[in-house]
Amino acid sequence: MVSYVDPITNTAVFSQVDLRQHLVDFIKLDFPERLLPTFLHESTHHACFLSPVGATLALLRMRAYRRSEQLTTNPDADEWELLEDVLRQEGTMEVLRPLSEGLACFAELDSIPGESNVLTTPMASTFFLFGGRDHALKSAEIIEKYGPGFFLYSLLYRARTDEEVFRRREAVLNASFRSSSGGHLAGYMTLKALWARAKRTSDLAWDSELFSKFVRSYFYDDFGMVAKILDPTKKEHNAVNAIAQYILERMSQLFGLDWDATLRKYLEDDDDAGYRTHDFGSVAYPSPAGINVDDDRRSLGMGRLDGLLAELGDPKCPSERESLMRRRDLLRMQKRELLCLGSLDLHVVTNAHDRVLIYPLEGPRPQEYPIYAVQALDGIDVGDGPGSMEIYLIPTENSRASAIVRGGQVVHVHFEGPINEARQNHFTELFGSRSEELRILDEQEKTLNSAIGESVINFVRAQALTTIPAGVDQLYSVTSTFNFPAEKREFAVSRLMEGGLRSLCDRDEDFIHALAMAGSAGSVTTQKSELEEIASENGIDLMAMLEKANFLEQRTGLSTLKAFDDLFVTEL
């Protein structure tokens, strides 16, 4: 099983997390370092989806679920309205997927705290969740003197100079370029091309955390994109084409940006960024002026998103079933703030002494000793039954929580971090079984696909899903090769489409392997002598690699490694 974050519910699944083996560590919220790369990757997806654009796409899919349910019971329901929701949501997801994967790979493989002291949400969460051998670097004295960056750099240095991360980076570099295969390479090359462009014109852009946070906000906090996604004047394919064109225009703006002036303004406005709180939950809110979005378009997007949210509270429902589904979707929107780090199904007992005892489901029962025992919440009845333990991160609050649930009721909860009582009470009502939420989501997907499959709209959807990937590939082939010499771009694009990055590197597996090592270690040190030592320990001749890199750049335009006196800079 692979790790992933569902973009609709923002529910995370970390395949490396096994609460049966590490329950106590996770309850203490002291994560093992081996989980760091996966956590940075998946929590970046979570941060992207917890945004105006992410909320819009989630609400469209939820409404599609409700409309598909109506079609199963009411043959007169409007199937073309269902198609509109599906095409807009799926089309936008397809166009943004490489960008989302690029941001996630950048967080996992490149980003480190810089001089601006700006941290992305995933990096700030990393500070709270990971301790291990560097726990002393979290002391009040160290934090006051150096900030969180001192601890984070030490943690990231070990990760980025480890063979496991070399292999993860190598897998990205060896991936297919085409979006139909996930889009990791296309998105990653786009992010690295954009970063190289930004660093040439602004010293501020060398701060990878600042750069990453800006790019994520530029796209996912863009109410202009929300306005385009929900534009009622466009229909079906025209709506999807307009959304794709808008994203292309936004991408083009980035490559021609005055990065120094823009990042300075972003730093000034960043203190004002936060979350708009509705009765329906929290939605990320960008800086007051937006990022290159005029006020009228921004206000239009906010209004359209608010209207979509308001449907969940509309008392005029055609049926009790519809009302129930809207209430469930309302809870989903509120729960999208939560990042569930792990979930374990258990047998839960609440005894007469107000204690909660948990037992594993596997093995003979009753057992003599529980695996964990804690104080029950006030008012919890004595009883036992199936339940679960959930471990949560609340990024918007810089806080964490663990909860024990029995039969849908929270019987124990523990919070850590600067979260007030009102918010604790709010989230306590939302905690529940992740496995149950994923099961319901799977059922709704099946109902949706069945409803479409039995309708004439199936042809239109199938046609869109066939044609969209080619347009996405074309978009990212341009952005990935933007820094190539003009006369070499056509050749580079054809090679990328044919066989990915390997085709541009003469299918030299040793070079790709060496590039993965140099790029990973190069994210935490640019000193030639230090990189040569790390390379030598891994059986790599760094100088021979530089010679091959220069040869490839002259022939294909692909820039991978640069040397400046005693500095080595990896551009991919």
Side-chain angles (χ1 to χ4, degrees):
M1 183 178 70
V2 296
S3 300
Y4 68 93
V5 175
D6 177 76
I8 313 308
T9 61
N10 226 3
T11 300
V13 172
F14 293 91
S15 61
Q16 294 169 295
V17 172
D18 185 351
L19 290 186
R20 290 171 297 182
Q21 295 185 21
H22 304 289
L23 181 61
V24 175
D25 290 337
F26 276 73
I27 291 172
K28 293 179 179 178
L29 296 166
D30 192 5
F31 276 31
E33 291 185 12
R34 64 183 177 79
L35 298 179
L36 177 60
T38 298
F39 173 77
L40 284 171
H41 189 105
E42 301 304 336
S43 61
T44 298
H45 285 313
H46 186 275
C48 287
F49 300 145
L50 186 63
S51 63
V53 170
T56 301
L57 297 175
L59 285 163
L60 282 175
R61 196 69 174 187
M62 291 177 195
R63 190 167 68 181
Y65 292 152
R66 299 196 300 272
R67 285 175 166 168
S68 65
E69 182 78 15
Q70 290 174 11
L71 282 173
T72 63
T73 57
N74 179 11
D76 296 327
D78 191 343
E79 57 198 6
W80 295 97
E81 287 186 343
L82 169 62
L83 178 66
E84 284 293 332
D85 287 345
V86 169
L87 288 184
R88 290 167 192 264
Q89 189 267 338
E90 292 182 345
T92 307
M93 284 294 298
E94 286 298 314
V95 180
L96 287 178
R97 180 173 286 110
L99 175 67
S100 173
E101 294 296 350
L103 283 165
C105 290
F106 188 84
E108 173 189 349
L109 304 171
D110 295 274
S111 198
I112 61 170
E115 294 183 1
S116 72
N117 293 321
V118 165
L119 293 180
T120 59
T121 300
M123 195 65 75
S125 298
T126 295
F127 177 81
F128 287 106
L129 288 175
F130 292 85
R133 69 183 78 175
D134 286 340
H135 194 73
L137 299 182
K138 289 186 175 183
S139 68
E141 295 79 11
I142 295 292
I143 298 302
E144 182 178 359
K145 187 173 182 179
Y146 299 105
F150 198 65
F151 164 81
L152 288 168
Y153 179 81
S154 178
L155 182 69
L156 290 165
Y157 188 94
R158 284 195 299 278
R160 303 273 172 79
T161 54
D162 184 80
E163 184 179 356
E164 171 63 24
V165 176
F166 297 168
R167 289 197 296 268
R168 293 173 71 100
R169 191 187 196 98
E170 189 173 0
V172 175
L173 298 182
N174 275 321
S176 169
F177 187 85
R178 295 186 181 275
S179 64
S180 57
S181 298
H184 294 72
L185 178 61
Y188 187 60
M189 288 185 68
T190 292
L191 258 291
K192 296 304 290 282
L194 185 60
W195 194 30
R197 187 84 171 182
K199 288 188 290 185
R200 292 188 189 118
T201 59
S202 174
D203 289 340
L204 286 172
W206 285 84
D207 186 330
S208 51
E209 277 289 277
L210 173 60
F211 167 79
S212 178
K213 187 174 184 180
F214 171 85
V215 173
R216 176 221 161 270
S217 185
Y218 182 87
F219 287 100
Y220 285 92
D221 289 341
D222 178 12
F223 281 102
M225 191 184 303
V226 171
K228 190 64 65 175
I229 295 170
L230 299 178
D231 184 359
T233 68
K234 304 290 185 182
K235 299 295 182 182
E236 298 174 23
H237 291 84
N238 290 331
V240 176
N241 291 338
I243 295 166
Q245 182 61 33
Y246 180 84
I247 295 172
L248 175 60
E249 290 171 0
R250 290 286 281 172
M251 194 78 76
S252 299
Q253 288 174 9
L254 277 185
F255 279 95
L257 205 62
D258 182 342
W259 280 92
D260 203 58
T262 304
L263 288 177
R264 289 186 188 280
K265 184 178 186 306
Y266 181 70
L267 282 171
E268 293 171 1
D269 292 341
D270 190 52
D271 288 340
D272 298 316
Y275 288 82
R276 300 174 66 220
T277 302
H278 297 258
D279 292 338
F280 313 105
S282 297
V283 178
Y285 189 85
S287 55
I291 302 178
N292 287 15
V293 177
D294 64 71
D295 290 341
D296 289 343
R297 181 177 288 178
R298 184 165 169 270
S299 296
L300 181 63
M302 290 173 66
R304 287 176 176 171
L305 176 54
D306 286 348
L308 194 57
L309 278 163
E311 291 182 12
L312 300 184
D314 188 352
K316 299 177 182 179
C317 285
S319 67
E320 179 59 32
R321 174 63 177 167
E322 171 75 8
S323 179
L324 176 64
M325 293 185 72
R326 291 189 187 190
R327 289 197 297 272
R328 177 188 291 156
D329 290 343
L330 173 58
L331 288 174
R332 279 177 172 169
M333 289 305 296
Q334 293 173 334
K335 291 176 70 171
R336 293 181 88 254
E337 277 188 83
L338 297 169
L339 177 55
C340 186
L341 302 166
S343 176
L344 179 63
D345 291 334
L346 300 160
H347 188 87
V348 180
V349 176
T350 308
N351 64 23
H353 304 289
D354 295 327
R355 301 291 291 177
V356 176
L357 314 174
I358 59 175
Y359 300 83
L361 288 180
E362 58 269 13
R365 293 205 69 256
Q367 296 185 22
E368 185 177 359
Y369 299 107
I371 58 174
Y372 195 58
V374 288
Q375 186 71 31
L377 293 174
D378 292 339
I380 299 300
D381 295 332
V382 173
D384 69 290
S388 64
M389 168 165 275
E390 317 285 331
I391 309 294
Y392 294 97
L393 179 66
I394 312 171
T396 54
E397 300 284 350
N398 285 328
S399 299
R400 304 159 290 186
S402 59
I404 299 176
V405 181
R406 185 194 66 201
Q409 181 185 30
V410 177
V411 297
H412 168 80
V413 67
H414 173 70
F415 288 91
E416 288 190 21
I419 180 171
N420 64 42
E421 185 176 356
R423 291 285 276 169
Q424 288 186 27
N425 293 335
H426 168 72
F427 286 118
T428 298
E429 294 177 358
L430 299 178
F431 294 150
S433 171
R434 179 182 65 174
S435 59
E436 177 66 9
E437 180 64 44
L438 291 172
R439 183 192 66 78
I440 294 172
L441 189 72
D442 183 61
E443 288 183 356
Q444 290 186 311
E445 278 291 317
K446 290 177 180 176
T447 300
L448 173 67
N449 289 320
S450 176
I452 293 176
E454 297 172 1
S455 167
V456 66
I457 64 175
N458 185 47
F459 172 77
V460 183
R461 183 202 194 192
Q463 185 181 40
L465 292 177
T466 301
T467 58
I468 288 173
V472 175
D473 290 342
Q474 183 178 5
L475 189 161
Y476 286 95
S477 70
V478 172
T479 55
S480 295
T481 60
F482 197 91
N483 295 329
F484 282 52
E487 68 276 9
K488 298 183 185 296
R489 285 179 195 158
E490 185 177 350
F491 168 78
V493 168
S494 65
R495 284 296 185 92
L496 285 170
M497 291 297 187
E498 172 193 335
L501 185 67
R502 288 174 295 182
S503 290
L504 278 178
C505 299
D506 297 335
R507 301 190 180 276
D508 188 333
E509 295 181 2
D510 291 338
F511 179 76
I512 296 289
H513 176 72
L515 182 61
M517 183 286 303
S520 184
S523 70
V524 289
T525 179
T526 57
Q527 295 298 312
K528 174 185 174 184
S529 56
E530 191 172 359
L531 281 172
E532 282 188 309
E533 182 178 349
I534 295 171
S536 179
E537 290 173 354
N538 287 273
I540 295 169
D541 185 338
L542 195 62
M543 298 312 295
M545 177 193 170
L546 177 61
E547 184 177 340
K548 177 64 179 281
N550 290 334
F551 168 76
L552 288 174
E553 182 171 7
Q554 291 176 9
R555 189 164 62 82
T556 68
L558 174 68
S559 179
T560 55
L561 188 66
K562 299 288 187 183
F564 308 95
D565 298 324
D566 191 41
L567 299 180
F568 268 54
V569 177
T570 308
E571 296 195 343
L572 187 60

